[in-house]
Amino acid sequence: FPSHDTRTIFIGRTQSFDRIAIKSGSTLSGTVTIRLGIYNNTNQIPSTVVLDAGTVAATAINTIYSITINQSLSAGWYWLAAVVNATTGTNALVTFSDVRAFPKSRLNANLAHASVYTQSGVTGTFATATSLSGTNVNAIFVALRAA
């Protein structure tokens, strides 16, 4: 740990996005720093970085934390990524199994399907994905907002 979680997302047409976000869960305590980003899809796995959006510091329960972005994506599959870089409390973030807790109407969230890959040892900015492991864990839920 930290572990790098990714989920696929399909973009149906060229589109611009102005936010990338996560939501804290009901048991978060302390401060949890999360890096968010987008990866290209190559042969159904994450490959190169499209966007490293930077980090958010989650400090309150049941709160959406977003980063302002200016990202255009062409039609196709992408991977939304999250990594917990530092924590001084309980890491409790909304996972894909809790997706109903994420207010789609507020963020116009694009939902990812069930594929999950993790990469251990990610400590700084995102880089080309390597040594990935497929998994069934409930990855951190990441959402994009269309501009």
Side-chain angles (χ1 to χ4, degrees):
F1 209 80
S3 180
H4 176 219
D5 291 345
T6 56
R7 289 273 181 181
T8 53
I9 183 173
F10 182 74
I11 306 299
R13 60 180 169 79
T14 297
Q15 195 167 2
S16 293
F17 297 89
D18 67 1
R19 297 284 189 286
I20 188 168
I22 53 93
K23 183 179 180 187
S24 59
S26 61
T27 60
L28 180 123
S29 67
T31 300
V32 179
T33 303
I34 308 103
R35 180 170 296 280
L36 301 174
I38 305 169
Y39 275 81
N40 284 306
N41 178 59
T42 302
N43 299 321
Q44 292 76 48
I45 61 171
S47 57
T48 56
V49 178
V50 173
L51 173 71
D52 183 325
T55 62
V56 292
T59 58
I61 64 170
N62 298 320
T63 302
I64 294 173
Y65 293 92
S66 66
I67 299 171
T68 300
I69 62 175
N70 180 13
Q71 184 65 52
S72 178
L73 297 174
S74 300
W77 289 96
Y78 295 88
W79 293 83
L80 300 181
V83 63
V84 176
N85 283 336
T87 183
T88 59
T90 302
N91 174 8
L93 301 169
V94 170
T95 65
F96 201 73
S97 67
D98 305 318
V99 73
R100 288 175 300 208
F102 209 104
K104 289 189 343 180
S105 61
R106 181 169 165 197
L107 211 80
N108 297 327
N110 285 304
L111 305 181
H113 69 67
S115 297
V116 180
Y117 283 95
T118 63
Q119 177 178 321
S120 60
V122 178
T123 57
T125 59
F126 288 139
T128 298
T130 60
S131 303
L132 298 172
S133 299
T135 182
N136 292 335
V137 300
N138 289 317
I140 297 167
F141 181 76
V142 180
L144 289 175
R145 184 175 83 176

